[in-house]
Amino acid sequence: MDMDKSNKRFWERFAFLYTGFMKKNDTAYTELCGYIRKHLTHADSVLELACGTGQLTYRLAGEVNAWTATDFSPKMVEEAKKQGKEANIEFGVEDATALTYNDDSFDVVVIANALHIMPEPDKALSEICRVLKQGGLLIAPTFVYDGNYNKLLIWMMEKVGFRTFHNWKARELKDFVTSYGFTLVSGEIVKAKPLDECILIAHKK
Ligand SMILES: C[S@@+](CC[C@H](N)C(=O)[O-])C[C@H]1O[C@@H](n2cnc3c(N)ncnc32)[C@H](O)[C@@H]1O
């Protein structure tokens, strides 16, 4: 897929600002990681896709055996590496829609706030299903369009090049994921900015 279609140039340009931009969601991220933590074990090998600058990475890697944090933007990965130090984190550049890992490689795949900004999230789900072990867990907290949200901030973000391809409500996100070979475990809602998050957790069948 060409770079512009997937909006990669925008994410590359925005990488150095992303950590500061997401500070407003510190409380929301801490709360959502509290939910996610309950589903992780110290034996888990985790693949994180679309890690940004490590918003979930550093909050959760200490809970598991090994955490591989990846993003398709090399600049995001560069920025993520600067944000902390955990012995069990390995970083890499990976496109979620065309992963380089073998089948059945991970116990858990985490993809936070990214399925909705991908033009072809179905390709990411099929890759996630492929690299997850049988019964493995998909953890996909995603901004959803339920309730009130900050339309002005979204409009301003779009003006500077941010694009969403799927304005899902929580129900639609759940239907989308379960139609690709996953069984829903939970889907709590957490207040965040500019949208609330559905902490979608599902098992590979
Ligand atoms: C809204 S940010 C989310 C970052 C972080 N996970 C968080 O929750 O704050 C979206 C991230 O998805 C990445 N991304 C977009 N499309 C991707 C793809 N096809 N493969 C891997 N990463 C992708 C972008 O580079 C960006 O870092």
Side-chain angles (χ1 to χ4, degrees), residues 18-33:
Y18 191 72
T19 303
F21 182 76
M22 289 313 275
K23 279 264 174 255
K24 62 181 179 300
N25 271 321
D26 265 357
T27 310
Y29 276 124
T30 299
E31 189 182 347
L32 78 86
C33 285

Side-chain angles (χ1 to χ4, degrees), residues 11 18 29 50 52 55 71-72 76 94-96 112-113 117-118:
W11 291 110
Y18 191 72
Y29 276 124
Q55 281 65 27
D71 198 285
F72 78 164
M76 282 285 184
E94 287 281 331
D95 183 336
N113 302 313
I117 52 108
M118 291 178 180

Side-chain angles (χ1 to χ4, degrees), residues 111-125 138 140-147 149 154 164-180 189 195-198 200:
I111 179 164
N113 302 313
L115 287 171
H116 67 304
I117 52 108
M118 291 178 180
E120 295 173 317
D122 49 316
K123 287 197 175 158
L125 276 192
L138 164 65
T142 305
F143 289 116
V144 288
Y145 287 74
D146 296 272
Y149 50 88
I154 294 174
T164 49
F165 292 90
H166 306 278
N167 296 354
W168 289 311
K169 291 189 185 249
R171 181 73 264 155
E172 292 164 329
L173 171 69
K174 289 173 191 168
D175 287 348
F176 171 67
V177 169
T178 52
S179 68
Y180 278 88
I189 300 286
L195 300 159
D196 291 347
E197 300 230 16
C198 173
L200 186 134

Side-chain angles (χ1 to χ4, degrees), residues 40-46 60-67 87-89 107:
L40 300 175
T41 77
H42 289 294
D44 285 338
S45 168
V46 178
L60 293 172
E63 308 292 326
V64 303
N65 179 34
W67 188 286
N88 66 341
I89 302 175
D107 302 297

